[in-house]
Amino acid sequence: MRSRLFMCLIAAYLYYQVIAVGNLFSSEIMLDSNATLENKKVLSIMKTITVVIVNETDRKIDVTDTEITAECWVVGEKTNCSCSDGYTWSNDVCYNHSSCCSDTECKKNVSNFTQLCIKKIKVRINGSVTSNKGIDYQLQGAFGKLNGFQSLNVTDSSADPALFEAEFNVKFTTSKLQEVVTKLEKDITGATVLLDTLGLVTISPNTKVCYQSAPVLKCLFDEATDSAAWTFYSLKKESFELKEGSVVKLHPPCSNPENSSCVAIELHGVTGIWSGTYVCGFTKGSIRHTAKTELEVALLPDDISLTIDPLTADCSIKPSPKKVSIVVTATILKSTENYNVTFNSAHSSEGTPDGKNLLYKFKVDVFCVKNPKPQSVNVTFKNEMGQNKSASVEIPVIYDGESFCKRESIKEDIWPKTPSGDTVINRTCAEGTTGYKSRTCDGTSWQKVLFFCVNKELNDIVNAADNFQKGLGATQEVAKNIFERLQKSSETYSSPYQNNAADVNASINILSLMANASKTIELTEGVLDTFVGAASNMLNQTWDSNGDDTSIQNMSANYLQSVEGLVKNIKINTSTGLQTQNLELKFCSSRECNVTVFGIGVNLNKTNGTMKTVAVKNLMQKLKNGFPNTERTDLLISATLDNNGSSVEIEMAFPIEQQDSATPLCVFWNTNTSDWSKEGCVVKIGHGNGTVCECNHLTSFSVLMSKSGVSDPALDMITNVGLGVSIFSLLILLIVEYLVWSAVVKSNLSLFRHTALVNISVFILLADCSFLASTSPKDLSGTWCLVLTICKHLFYLAAFSWMMCLSIMLMHQLIFVFSPLRKKVFMFLSSILGYVCPLLIVGCSYIYCEYTKTRYYNVKTCWLVYDRVLEGSMHAFILPVGTVILTNLFAMIVVILTLVKSSVPDQSKADDKETAKSIIKVVVFLTPVFGVTWIFGFALFIVKHGTTMYTVAEYSFTILNSFQGLFLLITGCIAEQKVREEMIKIIMAKSGRSESTKNLTTTSFTKDK
């Protein structure tokens, strides 16, 4: 009987001698022998063999390592084969001879198979079956037929779906596994089988990378699949589907002839949150092939919070110390990294746990010798890979003799003794909020507290949106959840200090993060409702940014850009629009688009794409407006177009409510300058029915209303010259009144008139000085601008109030000739009307603006604010002045009618009648000056800007009112006989001229009257 021995050996590494850089291969060689051979002998012989590739005689391979994988004994017709340790029968052998599977001996003649045994590889299958029947038997039978089957465990066969896991020690093809799935779904009625494999896909090995590095992870699979994806499991046991984002960069397909499926990601700037398990998956049908790897990031603190105790170093105490000890505390999140921590190059002790944080404390000596450079403390954290991250904090020092703010306690906050110019950071926030408060010491006075405490729920949403933008869990469900939480939080911002600027700013940041994410991560119309609802809610709030207009302008610009970006990037399928209280959206896919949003008609002819329009309320007043002498309107509209590859012409018809009898200016929001611009936009039609704007690009549009156009140099010159003349004239008038007062005030009537005249002159003089001081608002601080606005408001109102006192007095005196007004009554009522009423009007208007968080004054003009009809602090001036003018006009009419109808008085009343006639002359002269001139001002609100009538009214108003002091001098001194006579007497007395000359002069003046 003849026996033969087959040995299959695997040469682990073969070397091509003709190639400079060697290539490594694995191959199988079968030896056929008629005699028994020892394994060691065979392996030693193989190492001396040089293999020559057929048809390539010039290329040789050296065997560097060998290993026996299978042995077969053939005795006659009987065959007995077995795999070496660590090897198992190949799929070809198993599926052709069912008795030759796994680790069993094979009694079949398998010498014709090119690969008998393969190296064992652990493969695990995790699956689920939707069925309400026990499935243990079916699963065991189905998977038990696969090569390399080891075990199967069903966690709960009665559950739906039932979960199970199976283990194998050999790779298999997807098609073979799909056969099992198909059979199971056929045998188990109504069942759906889903499988995940682990062990068939090759992935990058576990690794540790540097902080802020950019590691690349790659997965390879030798079969073609339908799709691929990545999932990340953080150290906090949270799972995220990885999508393209600011950190996650999905590489293009990387398949090659050896690996039909390949997927890779690059993580840019990884931090501690990116440490964890990464799982890649290739899906084909209901089967997903996975692989996982661990990525460890050498940690550094993402945020280092430094606090000092006490908050200031007080070197001003007596006796003066040489140094003051300060305890600096560095707070970071708990970390597994063993940091080397130094404070100003001195090593710190180990960190102390404090909840979720670690605290590192260090005692620092602050020297009391005055140093022009600020004294600071620097802390550095160094990780195991030699990377470091630092943070520093300046220590406010109160040196002896320097100004400082005293220690104050406001509610539960302590503001310590602080040197002038320094800002104290207080990191204690109310329950449910996180952040800080700050307060600056200015000289010896504290400025108001600035609040930056944010609602913790909003802070969590910011973190979720930040993860979404990075690519962590960037799915539609996560996006919708973020907008739902934002909508709920924005309905009622809660702040114990009635200051929601930090909450609003955090909400806008969420929109900004989601808008940036939408550039690479597709968002569908399913998020529209919650996104628009949240954005609308934000505009219902008062954006009180600690009184800082610049912050509000930045917030509003960020809001507009974020809303516009989200509307543009969200994919629309069936939705045609959406309306909320402050936002209205309309979508149009037809070639000719005519839509209306909040009354604004939009027309656009296009060739392709979807036009998206959104109109926004309650935002215009918050945005920056760099156009001088213009007023914002109520609405703005944003228009975008998908797949816009050509020039466009868009036409927008704004409603009549926005005209307000002014010249319209069509503008668009320039994101580069964060301001309005009129480039590419023209006013096509401007009439009583609205304003039609035509623009050659798409973005956010609105209409600004120019009330007076650009500054007119001629008017500016007239104003400045007139104010100078007026101030000089009023000073002369008051001097004259002082000199002639005792001589001209001989009766109650003259007392009343001159008292009113002096008060009018004083208040107009003060108002003109305030006006002249504020002619260059850009050179004034906000405080001075406010003070001058209040002064002008108060002094002009007081002047007009005394004008009304004079008119009412004269009207009463002429109507009730025999019932003269008593002195005490006049002085009391005039004081109420002339002093108290203006103070009440100005004070109430200022308090109202502060209470309602509306602007009392415009920093660009240092004057009151006019928004629109019956809106704006300007009405606290217009309405009282209008009342005075109407009263003066009515008084003039009454006086004229009385004079016409009155009979000639008795001879005994001749002197009083003569005096009354003189007063009437003055009233007739003064009433047009005080009344008609300001009627020209009211005409500017009525007459259309740019017309001839408007120019006439504008120049008339400027000339008559800037020279108002001169007119008062003429009517109050020169035109009144008694004042003129008394002044001549004073002048003559000073010059020493004869009494005859004085009498002659007096007589001539008397005849001239």
Side-chain angles (χ1 to χ4, degrees), residues 769-787:
C769 290
S770 301
F771 194 99
L772 199 60
S774 62
T775 52
S776 182
K778 63 182 180 180
D779 297 329
L780 299 174
S781 64
T783 302
W784 275 109
C785 190
L786 172 62
V787 170

Side-chain angles (χ1 to χ4, degrees), residues 718 721-734 757 760-761 764-765 768 925-926 929-930 933 958-975:
I718 292 172
V721 172
L723 287 175
V725 172
S726 181
I727 292 172
F728 180 74
S729 300
L730 289 170
L731 289 173
I732 295 176
L733 186 149
L734 292 174
L757 182 61
I760 292 169
S761 300
I764 291 181
L765 174 64
D768 286 350
F925 191 83
L926 285 179
V929 173
F930 293 126
T933 56
T958 303
I959 294 171
L960 293 176
N961 286 283
S962 61
F963 288 93
Q964 194 170 22
L966 176 63
F967 298 144
L968 279 175
L969 176 63
I970 294 172
T971 58
C973 293
I974 300 174

Side-chain angles (χ1 to χ4, degrees), residues 214-257:
V216 176
L217 302 178
K218 182 183 289 187
C219 278
L220 300 170
F221 186 50
D222 53 10
E223 296 183 42
T225 53
D226 300 329
S227 61
W230 285 89
T231 306
F232 169 62
Y233 297 89
S234 70
L235 298 179
K236 296 181 179 180
K237 309 303 180 184
E238 298 173 317
S239 63
F240 303 94
E241 185 176 344
L242 297 182
K243 298 287 187 179
E244 183 85 9
S246 62
V247 173
V248 178
K249 301 299 179 183
L250 299 177
H251 280 200
C254 50
S255 58
N256 53 61

